[in-house]
mmCIF file of all heavy atoms in Angstrom:
data_model
loop_
_atom_site.group_PDB
_atom_site.id
_atom_site.type_symbol
_atom_site.label_atom_id
_atom_site.label_comp_id
_atom_site.label_asym_id
_atom_site.label_seq_id
_atom_site.Cartn_x
_atom_site.Cartn_y
_atom_site.Cartn_z
ATOM 1 N N GLU Q 100 66.874 107.264 107.976
ATOM 2 C CA GLU Q 100 65.564 106.756 108.166
ATOM 3 C C GLU Q 100 65.544 105.227 108.164
ATOM 4 O O GLU Q 100 64.779 104.575 108.934
ATOM 5 C CB GLU Q 100 64.614 107.263 107.066
ATOM 6 C CG GLU Q 100 64.345 108.741 107.252
ATOM 7 C CD GLU Q 100 63.574 109.349 106.055
ATOM 8 O OE1 GLU Q 100 63.461 108.615 105.018
ATOM 9 O OE2 GLU Q 100 63.070 110.523 106.156
ATOM 10 N N ASP Q 101 66.440 104.613 107.360
ATOM 11 C CA ASP Q 101 66.461 103.123 107.269
ATOM 12 C C ASP Q 101 67.264 102.449 108.329
ATOM 13 O O ASP Q 101 67.019 101.304 108.648
ATOM 14 C CB ASP Q 101 67.027 102.741 105.871
ATOM 15 C CG ASP Q 101 66.076 103.083 104.725
ATOM 16 O OD1 ASP Q 101 64.867 103.365 104.993
ATOM 17 O OD2 ASP Q 101 66.510 103.024 103.566
ATOM 18 N N ASN Q 102 68.288 103.165 108.915
ATOM 19 C CA ASN Q 102 69.212 102.497 109.812
ATOM 20 C C ASN Q 102 69.313 103.063 111.204
ATOM 21 O O ASN Q 102 69.834 102.399 112.087
ATOM 22 C CB ASN Q 102 70.615 102.584 109.173
ATOM 23 C CG ASN Q 102 70.789 101.845 107.866
ATOM 24 O OD1 ASN Q 102 70.964 100.613 107.835
ATOM 25 N ND2 ASN Q 102 70.689 102.576 106.765
ATOM 26 N N CYS Q 103 68.725 104.226 111.446
ATOM 27 C CA CYS Q 103 68.940 104.861 112.744
ATOM 28 C C CYS Q 103 67.597 105.331 113.318
ATOM 29 O O CYS Q 103 67.163 106.495 113.146
ATOM 30 C CB CYS Q 103 69.860 106.062 112.617
ATOM 31 S SG CYS Q 103 71.456 105.684 111.900
ATOM 32 N N PRO Q 104 66.850 104.422 113.959
ATOM 33 C CA PRO Q 104 65.574 104.767 114.559
ATOM 34 C C PRO Q 104 65.641 105.795 115.615
ATOM 35 O O PRO Q 104 64.616 106.439 115.993
ATOM 36 C CB PRO Q 104 65.058 103.424 115.113
ATOM 37 C CG PRO Q 104 66.328 102.610 115.302
ATOM 38 C CD PRO Q 104 67.253 103.028 114.221
ATOM 39 N N GLU Q 105 66.882 106.117 116.117
ATOM 40 C CA GLU Q 105 67.065 107.108 117.160
ATOM 41 C C GLU Q 105 66.933 108.517 116.607
ATOM 42 O O GLU Q 105 66.823 109.537 117.376
ATOM 43 C CB GLU Q 105 68.423 106.964 117.843
ATOM 44 C CG GLU Q 105 68.767 105.569 118.287
ATOM 45 C CD GLU Q 105 69.632 104.845 117.220
ATOM 46 O OE1 GLU Q 105 69.368 105.089 115.985
ATOM 47 O OE2 GLU Q 105 70.545 104.147 117.596
ATOM 48 N N ILE Q 106 66.959 108.652 115.294
ATOM 49 C CA ILE Q 106 67.039 109.920 114.609
ATOM 50 C C ILE Q 106 65.741 110.276 113.870
ATOM 51 O O ILE Q 106 65.183 109.434 113.204
ATOM 52 C CB ILE Q 106 68.215 109.976 113.612
ATOM 53 C CG1 ILE Q 106 69.536 109.797 114.339
ATOM 54 C CG2 ILE Q 106 68.206 111.307 112.807
ATOM 55 C CD1 ILE Q 106 69.986 110.989 115.230
ATOM 56 N N GLU Q 107 65.292 111.552 114.003
ATOM 57 C CA GLU Q 107 64.193 112.063 113.237
ATOM 58 C C GLU Q 107 64.743 113.232 112.397
ATOM 59 O O GLU Q 107 65.165 114.242 113.003
ATOM 60 C CB GLU Q 107 63.058 112.516 114.055
ATOM 61 C CG GLU Q 107 61.936 113.175 113.295
ATOM 62 C CD GLU Q 107 60.886 113.876 114.182
ATOM 63 O OE1 GLU Q 107 61.098 113.842 115.421
ATOM 64 O OE2 GLU Q 107 59.944 114.406 113.643
ATOM 65 N N VAL Q 108 64.819 113.117 111.098
ATOM 66 C CA VAL Q 108 65.302 114.207 110.235
ATOM 67 C C VAL Q 108 64.191 115.278 110.142
ATOM 68 O O VAL Q 108 63.104 114.991 109.557
ATOM 69 C CB VAL Q 108 65.710 113.692 108.851
ATOM 70 C CG1 VAL Q 108 66.156 114.869 107.986
ATOM 71 C CG2 VAL Q 108 66.798 112.675 108.971
ATOM 72 N N ILE Q 109 64.444 116.470 110.639
ATOM 73 C CA ILE Q 109 63.437 117.540 110.673
ATOM 74 C C ILE Q 109 63.662 118.499 109.523
ATOM 75 O O ILE Q 109 62.812 119.395 109.307
ATOM 76 C CB ILE Q 109 63.491 118.292 111.977
ATOM 77 C CG1 ILE Q 109 64.834 118.967 112.153
ATOM 78 C CG2 ILE Q 109 63.111 117.374 113.152
ATOM 79 C CD1 ILE Q 109 64.874 119.964 113.304
ATOM 80 N N GLY Q 110 64.748 118.378 108.786
ATOM 81 C CA GLY Q 110 64.941 119.317 107.687
ATOM 82 C C GLY Q 110 66.260 119.064 106.903
ATOM 83 O O GLY Q 110 67.086 118.308 107.362
ATOM 84 N N GLN Q 111 66.316 119.624 105.746
ATOM 85 C CA GLN Q 111 67.519 119.633 104.913
ATOM 86 C C GLN Q 111 67.845 121.036 104.441
ATOM 87 O O GLN Q 111 66.934 121.798 104.305
ATOM 88 C CB GLN Q 111 67.266 118.751 103.689
ATOM 89 C CG GLN Q 111 66.926 117.282 103.944
ATOM 90 C CD GLN Q 111 66.715 116.498 102.715
ATOM 91 O OE1 GLN Q 111 67.140 116.900 101.588
ATOM 92 N NE2 GLN Q 111 66.001 115.373 102.768
ATOM 93 N N ALA Q 112 69.091 121.301 104.294
ATOM 94 C CA ALA Q 112 69.546 122.662 103.856
ATOM 95 C C ALA Q 112 70.656 122.495 102.864
ATOM 96 O O ALA Q 112 71.546 121.651 103.007
ATOM 97 C CB ALA Q 112 69.952 123.493 105.021
ATOM 98 N N SER Q 113 70.648 123.406 101.880
ATOM 99 C CA SER Q 113 71.687 123.345 100.818
ATOM 100 C C SER Q 113 72.653 124.512 100.970
ATOM 101 O O SER Q 113 73.731 124.471 100.366
ATOM 102 C CB SER Q 113 71.046 123.417 99.412
ATOM 103 O OG SER Q 113 70.322 124.588 99.237
ATOM 104 N N ARG Q 114 72.288 125.551 101.758
ATOM 105 C CA ARG Q 114 73.152 126.745 101.870
ATOM 106 C C ARG Q 114 73.268 127.067 103.355
ATOM 107 O O ARG Q 114 72.441 126.736 104.205
ATOM 108 C CB ARG Q 114 72.511 127.903 101.154
ATOM 109 C CG ARG Q 114 72.228 127.690 99.662
ATOM 110 C CD ARG Q 114 71.669 128.928 99.006
ATOM 111 N NE ARG Q 114 70.637 129.594 99.773
ATOM 112 C CZ ARG Q 114 69.403 129.192 99.796
ATOM 113 N NH1 ARG Q 114 69.002 128.157 99.068
ATOM 114 N NH2 ARG Q 114 68.496 129.864 100.523
ATOM 115 N N LYS Q 115 74.330 127.837 103.642
ATOM 116 C CA LYS Q 115 74.577 128.277 105.028
ATOM 117 C C LYS Q 115 73.449 129.069 105.615
ATOM 118 O O LYS Q 115 73.031 128.781 106.720
ATOM 119 C CB LYS Q 115 75.870 129.124 105.051
ATOM 120 C CG LYS Q 115 76.278 129.585 106.445
ATOM 121 C CD LYS Q 115 77.517 130.501 106.404
ATOM 122 C CE LYS Q 115 77.114 131.857 105.891
ATOM 123 N NZ LYS Q 115 78.219 132.827 106.045
ATOM 124 N N GLU Q 116 72.878 129.994 104.858
ATOM 125 C CA GLU Q 116 71.865 130.831 105.350
ATOM 126 C C GLU Q 116 70.592 130.058 105.680
ATOM 127 O O GLU Q 116 69.907 130.290 106.717
ATOM 128 C CB GLU Q 116 71.538 131.965 104.354
ATOM 129 C CG GLU Q 116 72.610 132.943 104.144
ATOM 130 C CD GLU Q 116 73.747 132.449 103.276
ATOM 131 O OE1 GLU Q 116 73.568 131.377 102.631
ATOM 132 O OE2 GLU Q 116 74.848 133.086 103.255
ATOM 133 N N GLN Q 117 70.259 129.076 104.805
ATOM 134 C CA GLN Q 117 69.125 128.196 104.997
ATOM 135 C C GLN Q 117 69.309 127.338 106.220
ATOM 136 O O GLN Q 117 68.384 127.209 107.068
ATOM 137 C CB GLN Q 117 68.915 127.352 103.774
ATOM 138 C CG GLN Q 117 67.687 126.477 103.820
ATOM 139 C CD GLN Q 117 67.583 125.585 102.587
ATOM 140 O OE1 GLN Q 117 68.536 125.382 101.844
ATOM 141 N NE2 GLN Q 117 66.406 125.035 102.372
ATOM 142 N N ALA Q 118 70.501 126.773 106.429
ATOM 143 C CA ALA Q 118 70.803 125.949 107.570
ATOM 144 C C ALA Q 118 70.705 126.760 108.894
ATOM 145 O O ALA Q 118 70.140 126.275 109.872
ATOM 146 C CB ALA Q 118 72.190 125.326 107.423
ATOM 147 N N LYS Q 119 71.229 127.951 108.836
ATOM 148 C CA LYS Q 119 71.204 128.797 110.000
ATOM 149 C C LYS Q 119 69.743 129.081 110.431
ATOM 150 O O LYS Q 119 69.435 129.049 111.631
ATOM 151 C CB LYS Q 119 71.956 130.117 109.740
ATOM 152 C CG LYS Q 119 72.047 131.063 110.930
ATOM 153 C CD LYS Q 119 72.791 132.333 110.593
ATOM 154 C CE LYS Q 119 72.837 133.292 111.753
ATOM 155 N NZ LYS Q 119 73.570 134.577 111.441
ATOM 156 N N ALA Q 120 68.884 129.384 109.484
ATOM 157 C CA ALA Q 120 67.479 129.714 109.764
ATOM 158 C C ALA Q 120 66.781 128.495 110.374
ATOM 159 O O ALA Q 120 66.044 128.611 111.373
ATOM 160 C CB ALA Q 120 66.774 130.136 108.487
ATOM 161 N N ILE Q 121 67.113 127.290 109.872
ATOM 162 C CA ILE Q 121 66.431 126.121 110.378
ATOM 163 C C ILE Q 121 66.977 125.815 111.799
ATOM 164 O O ILE Q 121 66.177 125.425 112.714
ATOM 165 C CB ILE Q 121 66.690 124.903 109.481
ATOM 166 C CG1 ILE Q 121 65.977 125.096 108.137
ATOM 167 C CG2 ILE Q 121 66.170 123.625 110.155
ATOM 168 C CD1 ILE Q 121 66.297 124.015 107.108
ATOM 169 N N ILE Q 122 68.225 125.962 112.034
ATOM 170 C CA ILE Q 122 68.816 125.727 113.345
ATOM 171 C C ILE Q 122 68.186 126.650 114.398
ATOM 172 O O ILE Q 122 67.805 126.230 115.517
ATOM 173 C CB ILE Q 122 70.361 125.845 113.336
ATOM 174 C CG1 ILE Q 122 70.968 124.729 112.556
ATOM 175 C CG2 ILE Q 122 70.870 125.854 114.767
ATOM 176 C CD1 ILE Q 122 72.480 124.867 112.273
ATOM 177 N N GLU Q 123 68.079 127.933 114.039
ATOM 178 C CA GLU Q 123 67.539 128.936 115.010
ATOM 179 C C GLU Q 123 66.055 128.728 115.238
ATOM 180 O O GLU Q 123 65.608 128.980 116.341
ATOM 181 C CB GLU Q 123 67.850 130.319 114.483
ATOM 182 C CG GLU Q 123 69.378 130.613 114.506
ATOM 183 C CD GLU Q 123 69.694 132.039 113.902
ATOM 184 O OE1 GLU Q 123 68.807 132.591 113.201
ATOM 185 O OE2 GLU Q 123 70.779 132.497 114.193
ATOM 186 N N SER Q 124 65.333 128.247 114.212
ATOM 187 C CA SER Q 124 63.867 128.131 114.450
ATOM 188 C C SER Q 124 63.485 126.741 114.985
ATOM 189 O O SER Q 124 62.529 126.650 115.777
ATOM 190 C CB SER Q 124 63.153 128.330 113.108
ATOM 191 O OG SER Q 124 63.534 127.390 112.146
ATOM 192 N N SER Q 125 64.250 125.696 114.630
ATOM 193 C CA SER Q 125 63.822 124.326 114.988
ATOM 194 C C SER Q 125 64.684 123.719 116.069
ATOM 195 O O SER Q 125 64.300 122.656 116.642
ATOM 196 C CB SER Q 125 63.815 123.472 113.697
ATOM 197 O OG SER Q 125 62.960 123.962 112.732
ATOM 198 N N GLN Q 126 65.825 124.284 116.390
ATOM 199 C CA GLN Q 126 66.699 123.792 117.409
ATOM 200 C C GLN Q 126 66.948 122.270 117.350
ATOM 201 O O GLN Q 126 66.528 121.521 118.250
ATOM 202 C CB GLN Q 126 66.141 124.179 118.763
ATOM 203 C CG GLN Q 126 66.005 125.691 118.988
ATOM 204 C CD GLN Q 126 65.439 126.045 120.330
ATOM 205 O OE1 GLN Q 126 64.579 125.367 120.850
ATOM 206 N NE2 GLN Q 126 65.975 127.105 120.892
ATOM 207 N N PRO Q 127 67.605 121.818 116.360
ATOM 208 C CA PRO Q 127 67.944 120.342 116.227
ATOM 209 C C PRO Q 127 68.924 119.925 117.303
ATOM 210 O O PRO Q 127 69.631 120.750 117.930
ATOM 211 C CB PRO Q 127 68.563 120.265 114.862
ATOM 212 C CG PRO Q 127 69.164 121.610 114.585
ATOM 213 C CD PRO Q 127 68.235 122.566 115.228
ATOM 214 N N ASP Q 128 68.945 118.652 117.630
ATOM 215 C CA ASP Q 128 69.883 118.025 118.539
ATOM 216 C C ASP Q 128 71.223 117.753 117.876
ATOM 217 O O ASP Q 128 72.238 117.770 118.531
ATOM 218 C CB ASP Q 128 69.304 116.757 119.134
ATOM 219 C CG ASP Q 128 67.984 116.957 119.832
ATOM 220 O OD1 ASP Q 128 67.961 117.882 120.719
ATOM 221 O OD2 ASP Q 128 66.947 116.298 119.483
ATOM 222 N N VAL Q 129 71.182 117.511 116.585
ATOM 223 C CA VAL Q 129 72.391 117.103 115.850
ATOM 224 C C VAL Q 129 72.318 117.661 114.446
ATOM 225 O O VAL Q 129 71.209 117.642 113.830
ATOM 226 C CB VAL Q 129 72.662 115.606 115.870
ATOM 227 C CG1 VAL Q 129 71.470 114.833 115.326
ATOM 228 C CG2 VAL Q 129 73.894 115.221 115.117
ATOM 229 N N VAL Q 130 73.427 118.114 113.890
ATOM 230 C CA VAL Q 130 73.522 118.610 112.554
ATOM 231 C C VAL Q 130 74.535 117.735 111.762
ATOM 232 O O VAL Q 130 75.703 117.661 112.194
ATOM 233 C CB VAL Q 130 73.982 120.100 112.497
ATOM 234 C CG1 VAL Q 130 74.147 120.493 111.046
ATOM 235 C CG2 VAL Q 130 72.914 120.969 113.157
ATOM 236 N N PHE Q 131 74.067 117.156 110.706
ATOM 237 C CA PHE Q 131 74.997 116.405 109.802
ATOM 238 C C PHE Q 131 75.443 117.388 108.753
ATOM 239 O O PHE Q 131 74.689 117.865 107.902
ATOM 240 C CB PHE Q 131 74.268 115.229 109.189
ATOM 241 C CG PHE Q 131 73.959 114.122 110.165
ATOM 242 C CD1 PHE Q 131 72.815 114.135 110.903
ATOM 243 C CD2 PHE Q 131 74.801 113.032 110.268
ATOM 244 C CE1 PHE Q 131 72.563 113.103 111.819
ATOM 245 C CE2 PHE Q 131 74.597 112.008 111.175
ATOM 246 C CZ PHE Q 131 73.450 112.041 111.941
ATOM 247 N N LEU Q 132 76.734 117.791 108.859
ATOM 248 C CA LEU Q 132 77.239 118.944 108.104
ATOM 249 C C LEU Q 132 78.319 118.587 107.125
ATOM 250 O O LEU Q 132 79.403 118.096 107.485
ATOM 251 C CB LEU Q 132 77.767 120.004 109.130
ATOM 252 C CG LEU Q 132 78.354 121.285 108.562
ATOM 253 C CD1 LEU Q 132 77.327 122.038 107.786
ATOM 254 C CD2 LEU Q 132 78.931 122.135 109.735
ATOM 255 N N ASP Q 133 78.017 118.850 105.844
ATOM 256 C CA ASP Q 133 79.040 118.642 104.809
ATOM 257 C C ASP Q 133 80.164 119.689 105.017
ATOM 258 O O ASP Q 133 79.843 120.877 105.224
ATOM 259 C CB ASP Q 133 78.371 118.865 103.433
ATOM 260 C CG ASP Q 133 79.410 118.807 102.265
ATOM 261 O OD1 ASP Q 133 80.331 118.017 102.387
ATOM 262 O OD2 ASP Q 133 79.220 119.534 101.294
ATOM 263 N N ILE Q 134 81.360 119.226 104.983
ATOM 264 C CA ILE Q 134 82.528 120.115 105.290
ATOM 265 C C ILE Q 134 82.884 120.977 104.128
ATOM 266 O O ILE Q 134 83.628 121.962 104.247
ATOM 267 C CB ILE Q 134 83.722 119.242 105.730
ATOM 268 C CG1 ILE Q 134 84.675 120.064 106.624
ATOM 269 C CG2 ILE Q 134 84.465 118.645 104.569
ATOM 270 C CD1 ILE Q 134 84.124 120.388 107.949
ATOM 271 N N ARG Q 135 82.383 120.667 102.909
ATOM 272 C CA ARG Q 135 82.668 121.445 101.719
ATOM 273 C C ARG Q 135 81.384 122.079 101.212
ATOM 274 O O ARG Q 135 80.671 121.447 100.447
ATOM 275 C CB ARG Q 135 83.336 120.561 100.632
ATOM 276 C CG ARG Q 135 84.580 119.890 101.019
ATOM 277 C CD ARG Q 135 85.728 120.841 101.214
ATOM 278 N NE ARG Q 135 86.116 121.531 99.972
ATOM 279 C CZ ARG Q 135 87.124 121.112 99.192
ATOM 280 N NH1 ARG Q 135 87.779 120.023 99.503
ATOM 281 N NH2 ARG Q 135 87.463 121.843 98.125
ATOM 282 N N MET Q 136 81.092 123.310 101.623
ATOM 283 C CA MET Q 136 79.781 123.905 101.271
ATOM 284 C C MET Q 136 79.951 125.269 100.614
ATOM 285 O O MET Q 136 79.470 126.283 101.146
ATOM 286 C CB MET Q 136 78.917 124.090 102.470
ATOM 287 C CG MET Q 136 78.272 122.923 103.123
ATOM 288 S SD MET Q 136 77.313 123.499 104.498
ATOM 289 C CE MET Q 136 76.247 124.778 103.787
ATOM 290 N N PRO Q 137 80.486 125.453 99.419
ATOM 291 C CA PRO Q 137 81.259 124.505 98.672
ATOM 292 C C PRO Q 137 82.724 124.687 98.813
ATOM 293 O O PRO Q 137 83.537 123.897 98.240
ATOM 294 C CB PRO Q 137 80.767 124.744 97.227
ATOM 295 C CG PRO Q 137 80.487 126.246 97.255
ATOM 296 C CD PRO Q 137 80.029 126.593 98.621
#
Side-chain angles (χ1 to χ4, degrees):
E100 290 174 347
D101 290 347
N102 296 279
C103 304
E105 312 95 323
I106 296 291
E107 175 189 2
V108 178
I109 61 168
Q111 299 179 21
S113 61
R114 305 183 314 278
K115 181 184 74 171
E116 294 77 14
Q117 183 184 17
K119 183 179 178 182
I121 295 174
I122 291 172
E123 291 177 343
S124 64
S125 301
Q126 299 180 323
D128 301 306
V129 56
V130 175
F131 289 84
L132 179 61
D133 175 36
I134 205 70
R135 303 291 296 264
M136 288 181 51

